[in-house]
Amino acid sequence: MTETFDGDWLDLREPHDSAARSVALAQQLAAALPARPRILDLGAGTGSLLRWMGHFIGRAQAWTLVDADPELVGRAFETIAGRALEADWTVTWPGRKTLLVHSPQGAWRVEALVADLREAPDNLPLGQVDAVVNTALCDLVSAAWVQRVAAGCAEHRLPFYAALNVTGRERFMPSHPADALVARGFARDQLRDKGFGGTALGARAPAVIAEAFAAHGYSVHRAPSDWVITRRDAAMAAEIADGHARAAMAHERRDRRKLLDWMVDRRAQAGLLRLSVRVGHTDILCLPPEKG
């Protein structure tokens, strides 16, 4: 069983994802794409990457949102349409499963594919797209999964863009006596098998991606994309603290009481606007070699 994600959590993190992703890498990808690019978004969730990246592409474009959860796919269409209408853009539905967002720079065509990403790339239409993208996916998958996807992308000469891969560097402020215990348990949880055929990559994801794509002649570009959660972002800070504590509890059972105390203390600090968090991430863009 692969990891599943709550739509409310994805909505909460969206503005922080948008603020963290590397603009330079987005612009570099956009420049490498054809006039009307077709984008395959793996683990698309509620479509937040489309809403962010579409502006950098800045022209007519087509997206296929891939997710295993049909409810998230439905929510993605609703959210994309709703945000477009808020911006006074026209939205039309040329088919039951196709959404057109009429931006000032050209139409964004949005379709969806409900698919189990464990089977990637065999169940993906790599021959019908111009790039493969994702957010916060590759630290969940195995090295074998990345190697298979790299081979599939290389066969079709597709750019591969992976945003917000964890680096293993987290900092909660102010400090707490149990911080190291939480960090240890959370790091162990990141390596748990998340359903992609082996140990999850966690903080090793950027290095594994780089090696796999470089082996096919790709150029690899990286940029930092840390979450910086200020004290004013109380809901996000509290949610991150909860997630870290609960993940650590699964692996540090003898210290459960300390972990519970840490979580209660962090929730209280967030409620008083006294908790800030920095979570290390890296964006990575792999571009195929030029023809010739």
Side-chain angles (χ1 to χ4, degrees):
M1 183 71 177
T2 55
E3 295 282 285
T4 57
F5 294 93
D6 178 74
D8 291 341
W9 160 242
L10 297 178
D11 286 345
L12 179 63
R13 64 176 285 171
E14 180 171 354
H16 304 285
D17 288 351
S18 296
R21 291 190 191 96
S22 167
V23 170
L25 288 194
Q27 292 172 333
Q28 192 172 0
L29 173 59
L33 294 174
R36 188 186 183 279
R38 301 162 298 171
I39 314 297
L40 190 68
D41 186 0
L42 307 185
T46 62
S48 66
L49 181 55
L50 177 156
R51 289 189 289 275
W52 183 80
M53 179 70 76
H55 298 280
F56 293 100
I57 296 174
R59 54 193 184 271
Q61 55 200 271
W63 286 72
T64 301
L65 308 182
V66 184
D67 206 284
D69 186 341
E71 291 188 10
L72 278 182
V73 169
R75 187 163 174 166
F77 275 73
E78 292 173 3
T79 306
I80 292 165
R83 299 281 180 84
L85 292 172
E86 289 173 5
D88 291 327
W89 294 359
T90 302
V91 173
T92 58
W93 295 84
R96 280 196 317 125
K97 299 181 179 180
T98 303
L99 169 67
L100 277 182
V101 175
H102 300 271
S103 85
Q105 292 81 33
W108 301 3
R109 184 181 182 91
V110 187
E111 297 177 317
L113 172 63
V114 176
D116 187 344
L117 287 177
R118 290 178 296 184
E119 301 173 13
D122 293 342
N123 59 345
L124 300 177
L126 296 186
Q128 303 170 32
V129 299
D130 301 303
V132 176
V133 302
N134 62 86
T135 290
L137 171 66
C138 289
D139 44 58
L140 306 177
V141 305
S142 65
W145 187 94
V146 169
Q147 290 162 1
R148 293 199 311 270
V149 170
C153 287
E155 180 182 353
H156 299 280
R157 302 182 59 82
L158 300 177
F160 181 83
Y161 165 83
L164 299 172
N165 305 284
V166 297
T167 65
R169 298 188 301 272
E170 292 97 19
R171 184 182 179 191
F172 292 85
M173 295 163 281
S175 61
H176 188 285
D179 281 348
L181 176 65
V182 172
R184 184 178 69 196
F186 184 71
R188 290 179 64 188
D189 188 73
Q190 285 188 317
L191 300 179
R192 171 175 53 85
D193 188 334
K194 306 293 175 67
F196 287 91
T199 302
L201 294 176
R204 297 181 298 129
V208 171
I209 292 168
E211 181 178 4
F213 279 87
H216 293 281
Y218 278 59
S219 60
V220 179
H221 311 269
R222 307 189 203 200
S225 53
D226 292 359
W227 272 347
V228 180
I229 313 303
T230 70
R231 296 180 181 185
R232 296 185 300 276
D233 300 315
M236 184 66 170
E239 193 68 25
I240 294 173
D242 275 10
H244 276 64
R246 294 184 190 282
M249 285 177 197
H251 303 278
E252 305 290 340
R253 293 185 175 89
R254 289 182 299 178
D255 293 304
R256 186 177 179 84
R257 181 72 258 171
K258 292 181 181 178
L259 292 169
L260 281 171
D261 289 343
W262 184 91
M263 184 166 65
V264 170
D265 290 346
R266 292 309 197 187
R267 282 178 176 171
Q269 289 170 341
L272 295 170
L273 303 182
R274 294 178 180 172
L275 179 63
S276 61
V277 189
R278 189 179 191 104
V279 180
H281 290 113
T282 296
D283 291 355
I284 187 164
L285 171 63
C286 305
L287 296 176
E290 295 182 5
K291 295 181 180 180

